[in-house]
Amino acid sequence: MSKKILSVVLSVVLLAVLPLSLASCGEANPNQVTLNVFNWGEYISNGEDGSLDVIAEFEKQTGIKVNYTTFETNEALYNKMKTGGVSYDVIIPSDYMIGKMIQEDMLEKLDFSNIPNYELIDDRFKSSEVAPYDPEGAYSVPYTWGRVGLIYNTKYVTEPVNSWNILWDETYKNQILMFDNSRDAFGIAQFLLGQSVNTEDTAELEQAAALLQQQSVVSPVYAMDQILEKMPSEDAYIAPYYVGDCLTMCDENEDLTFTVPQEGTNLFLDAMCIPKGTKHKKEAEQFINFMCSTEVAYANIEYIAYSSPQVEAAAQHKEYLVQEYGDEIAQAIYPEDLSNTQMFLTLSEEANQTMTDLWVKVKTAN
Amino acid sequence: MKKRAALPYIVWMLVFTIVPMIMVVYFAFTTKDGAFTLENLIQVKEYAGTFWESIKLGAVSTLLCLLLGYPMAAIMARSKAHVQRTLVLLCMMPMWMNFLLRTYAWMTILENNGLLNSLLQLIGLPKLQMINTSGAIVLGMVYNFLPFMIIPIYTVMVKLDTRLVEAAQDLGCNWLGVFRRVIFPLSVPGIISGITMVFVPAASTFIISKLLGGGTMLIGDIIELQITGGANNLNLGAAMSLVLMIIVLITMMVMNVFGDREGEVALT
């Protein structure tokens, strides 16, 4: 009997230790520093099609080894960090998640004397007006940014498009795609209603949900990644999406174009941060600095096709866009004026629950 | 000796079945701060409509799988040995590919400008609205879960004693009688495990409805949203899972009673 208990205990212990032993395999050479970098999938220039292999270049220049892994959502990143196991040295979360991590004391303050290239980051993204998630600008270095726009097919939509209203237009019944996540979908309704996208007022959220419910007249199809396929294949005529991805879709189908509606839109930004508990803070800052150099920032933005906050890379990228796509598109990707945008901030748990519940109701009714 | 051999399975069950089940129950009856509450379960009733819709689509898919799978299993069981091996292999082969990829492929086939509609247009027929309908969801489920219906029925049927069939025929029973009174009752255990293996995943599926149903919300999607969505409300998600488990359990119990009775008929 006691033997049995012993073997149960042993098995459980073995199971628990397994991930640890796997994680420690990486650091064979004690003198070589290994940086654990955790980024979004397909979010760095990787040497494909003659582009710069950023990670390999960094390893070559500095002799620091990079263990590069990717995540799919901010929530997945957050959960990984909370449950522990592996410690990361550089992470690239989005605006609202950085705000949440700062609140929960999960990030290290950066030593900007180790990041001289921080000078090259556009001052607009250092102001607390545009980037309220990190008001002191002490924890994060912007990596990419972008806005939400409307992509549409000019073959079927001939009228000028400049308002989110078109997503409610019965003329395009059955041909409209809508964001399949509550925050982005509510955002659109809130811009139309002139609300703050960060409101926690139940009455305002209900008002936005009611507007979303009215979309039933056009029988919208809810989708996220599938938009990337459905728009170029002309399975739908109009969809909201992130402008960087809109540009990619326009490459696939010449009839597609996009705009950023007049009511305002969501500005999102992903930034590099160093989590608490890192053993290689200096090397991590070195990595962040490397990512901010003009050559690397340009290679990355060319690959990702969002907007760069690094001024020199942005200028280069904008010039390329003007040549390739014309002034209007270049303006949409690199607008001079960001006053008509709002950034998502972390909502309280109660407001989040209210929004999720309302969202389920909207979707099950439509 | 025997007991020791079973130990890894006991540990496995403990770590991956019993513990998660206890966690689901714990989360379902507690608030975020860990205090006892019935609030989560009361809230679940708001989603009664979605529960009903999921069970309905799951049941329709299971029925279709049974109607398609049963004859297939019977044909397979009666084929020559090498044909049997090939057929079983063909049944399993789609499962070598990731489930998500196969569902994405159906999306491409069923779309308004997809493969099927292009084909229809090519031969001068009007386009059909197939994607984003509940029919598409059922199709996706039947396609994905059909092997889980065929294999258990086939396994039972292939072991069926052919002498019983011969005896019935010798005693002057026609083919319909043989099927109704010998083959069918003896294959009931296979049907029951087939139904279980199809109905349970079908009723709780969450990605098929999203991809083929144009973002239709079935109960699986709502549970997923509680975990991955901004709300991060594991407690409500757990309460929904618990209710779904109980509904499935009751359905299975009813079916097993029915199955036992069928089995008795065969013996008498």
Side-chain angles (χ1 to χ4, degrees):
Chain A
M1 189 59 201
S2 64
K3 252 189 190 169
K4 199 168 165 185
I5 293 170
L6 187 73
S7 41
V8 171
V9 171
L10 262 176
S11 317
V12 173
V13 168
L14 276 175
L15 261 174
V17 169
L18 196 68
L20 290 178
S21 54
L22 285 178
S24 57
C25 285
E27 304 201 30
N29 178 355
N31 294 325
Q32 192 181 32
V33 175
T34 301
L35 275 185
N36 285 313
V37 177
F38 205 30
N39 193 3
W40 295 84
E42 295 183 43
Y43 221 47
I44 196 163
S45 177
N46 60 2
E48 262 173 33
D49 304 326
S51 61
L52 182 72
D53 189 340
V54 171
I55 296 291
E57 187 64 24
F58 177 74
E59 288 179 333
K60 203 173 85 189
Q61 283 188 18
T62 61
I64 297 168
K65 202 181 159 331
V66 175
N67 179 17
Y68 184 81
T69 43
T70 61
F71 58 87
E72 294 298 320
T73 64
N74 279 305
E75 285 65 28
L77 162 70
Y78 178 81
N79 288 335
K80 269 251 170 81
M81 285 177 61
K82 276 278 164 179
T83 50
V86 188
S87 81
Y88 297 106
D89 302 304
V90 179
I91 54 170
I92 309 189
S94 304
D95 36 50
Y96 72 96
M97 189 50 77
I98 296 172
K100 186 174 169 141
M101 287 176 172
I102 292 173
Q103 270 172 32
E104 297 184 16
D105 197 26
M106 292 165 73
L107 301 178
E108 287 278 359
K109 280 200 177 185
L110 303 175
D111 180 356
F112 287 100
S113 61
N114 288 333
I115 314 175
N117 285 336
Y118 186 64
E119 292 266 295
L120 296 169
I121 300 294
D122 193 335
D123 282 334
R124 290 186 295 177
F125 300 107
K126 296 175 185 166
S127 80
S128 59
E129 249 166 71
V130 174
Y133 57 90
D134 182 5
E136 301 163 50
Y139 297 92
S140 59
V141 175
Y143 179 56
T144 57
W145 62 281
R147 296 186 298 168
V148 172
L150 258 181
I151 182 162
Y152 59 99
N153 193 317
T154 49
K155 210 155 67 175
Y156 308 102
V157 183
T158 46
E159 60 180 308
V161 179
N162 57 13
S163 162
W164 294 114
N165 262 329
I166 198 162
L167 294 169
W168 276 258
D169 188 339
E170 274 183 77
T171 328
Y172 306 108
K173 193 167 189 248
N174 291 327
Q175 305 299 345
I176 289 174
L177 301 178
M178 186 63 184
F179 273 127
D180 195 9
N181 82 59
S182 51
R183 199 72 199 266
D184 280 322
F186 270 75
I188 290 176
Q190 287 169 325
F191 282 116
L192 271 171
L193 292 168
Q195 295 177 3
S196 155
V197 293
N198 296 311
T199 181
E200 303 205 345
D201 182 57
T202 308
E204 284 197 327
L205 287 172
E206 276 169 358
Q207 215 185 341
L211 185 58
L212 289 172
Q213 192 121 43
Q214 284 167 23
Q215 261 200 310
S216 59
V217 295
V218 297
S219 315
V221 167
Y222 295 97
M224 289 302 297
D225 295 350
Q226 303 100 289
I227 292 176
L228 289 168
E229 196 225 349
K230 282 177 191 271
M231 285 306 296
S233 73
E234 302 189 3
D235 216 56
Y237 304 160
I238 308 166
Y241 217 58
Y242 314 112
V243 287
D245 295 312
C246 288
L247 192 63
T248 313
M249 288 189 263
C250 291
D251 285 340
E252 287 176 50
N253 186 329
E254 284 186 356
D255 293 318
L256 293 177
T257 186
F258 65 91
T259 180
V260 177
Q262 60 190 11
E263 291 93 356
T265 192
N266 167 231
L267 175 77
F268 56 88
L269 190 149
D270 296 328
M272 297 176 276
C273 305
I274 301 181
K276 278 256 157 79
T278 173
K279 288 190 202 83
H280 311 296
K281 185 159 180 275
K282 216 169 158 203
E283 288 82 358
E285 281 160 349
Q286 203 179 343
F287 180 79
I288 292 176
N289 189 52
F290 178 78
M291 294 283 269
C292 293
S293 69
T294 305
E295 190 197 2
V296 173
Y298 184 67
N300 281 334
I301 212 63
E302 206 181 16
Y303 179 84
I304 304 167
Y306 279 27
S307 313
S308 178
Q310 207 267 22
V311 280
E312 287 176 4
Q316 228 176 319
H317 191 214
K318 190 173 180 182
E319 200 176 307
Y320 162 80
L321 291 172
V322 171
Q323 272 174 18
E324 253 340 88
Y325 302 94
D327 272 336
E328 217 172 303
I329 296 279
Q331 276 298 329
I333 304 275
Y334 286 105
E336 250 122 63
D337 180 18
L338 292 176
S339 60
N340 207 11
T341 58
Q342 290 185 50
M343 215 172 238
F344 290 146
L345 297 178
T346 313
L347 298 180
S348 70
E349 271 183 19
E350 294 76 39
N352 245 325
Q353 189 65 50
T354 311
M355 189 186 265
T356 308
D357 291 345
L358 287 168
W359 175 239
V360 170
K361 283 200 189 108
V362 167
K363 277 191 65 183
T364 42
N366 276 6
Chain B
M1 189 61 213
K2 214 174 173 187
K3 269 191 182 162
R4 213 170 289 163
L7 199 64
Y9 302 101
I10 295 169
V11 174
W12 181 270
M13 286 273 286
L14 201 72
V15 176
F16 295 107
T17 310
I18 311 289
V19 173
M21 287 280 273
I22 293 170
M23 282 166 75
V24 168
V25 174
Y26 171 78
F27 274 113
F29 285 102
T30 49
T31 61
K32 275 188 183 165
D33 311 320
F36 176 81
T37 180
L38 287 174
E39 197 53 45
N40 300 320
L41 286 162
I42 295 167
Q43 235 182 311
V44 169
K45 85 173 185 294
E46 303 249 326
Y47 304 95
T50 317
F51 268 100
W52 170 238
E53 184 72 17
S54 311
I55 303 272
K56 201 175 69 187
L57 288 181
V60 170
S61 310
T62 313
L63 188 71
L64 284 172
C65 277
L66 183 62
L67 290 177
L68 289 168
Y70 193 89
M72 183 64 203
I75 293 167
M76 277 164 66
R78 304 202 55 183
S79 323
K80 292 198 186 85
H82 69 278
V83 180
Q84 267 186 38
R85 274 198 300 274
T86 315
L87 288 176
V88 171
L89 187 74
L90 285 175
C91 252
M92 310 289 282
M93 207 134 75
M95 286 197 261
W96 297 357
M97 224 186 306
N98 185 287
F99 158 85
L100 206 58
L101 283 181
R102 285 181 280 141
T103 309
Y104 260 99
W106 270 112
M107 208 170 89
T108 324
I109 295 170
L110 298 178
E111 260 171 4
N112 294 332
N113 293 311
L115 284 176
L116 217 54
N117 269 325
S118 309
L119 209 67
L120 284 177
Q121 269 186 317
L122 206 69
I123 52 174
L125 291 170
K127 285 209 249 182
L128 289 173
Q129 171 69 39
M130 290 176 286
I131 192 105
N132 311 329
T133 61
S134 44
I137 302 177
V138 171
L139 176 73
M141 293 206 261
V142 170
Y143 169 76
N144 276 306
F145 302 134
L146 188 57
F148 298 103
M149 181 65 85
I150 297 177
I151 300 296
I153 300 178
Y154 160 78
T155 317
V156 169
M157 278 194 148
V158 83
K159 279 189 241 146
L160 194 141
D161 193 340
T162 47
R163 284 174 303 176
L164 287 174
V165 177
E166 282 159 19
Q169 281 166 340
D170 286 347
L171 293 169
C173 198
N174 62 12
W175 68 268
L176 193 66
V178 171
F179 175 74
R180 203 166 57 85
R181 304 182 65 167
V182 181
I183 298 179
F184 183 75
L186 287 175
S187 61
V188 162
I191 296 177
I192 297 214
S193 42
I195 290 178
T196 316
M197 287 178 75
V198 173
F199 179 69
V200 176
S204 58
T205 183
F206 68 94
I207 197 73
I208 297 176
S209 42
K210 198 177 248 176
L211 292 179
L212 301 178
T216 307
M217 283 234 169
L218 293 183
I219 198 64
D221 297 290
I222 297 183
I223 296 174
E224 191 219 1
L225 195 66
Q226 302 304 326
I227 298 160
T228 61
N232 207 0
N233 192 344
L234 293 180
N235 305 81
L236 182 58
M240 289 177 184
S241 310
L242 192 64
V243 172
L244 185 64
M245 272 194 270
I246 292 168
I247 293 175
V248 169
L249 214 62
I250 292 171
T251 326
M252 291 298 133
M253 265 157 59
V254 169
M255 212 176 55
N256 278 335
V257 169
F258 169 77
D260 285 348
R261 250 186 251 142
E262 280 290 319
E264 279 159 30
V265 173
L267 291 173
T268 47

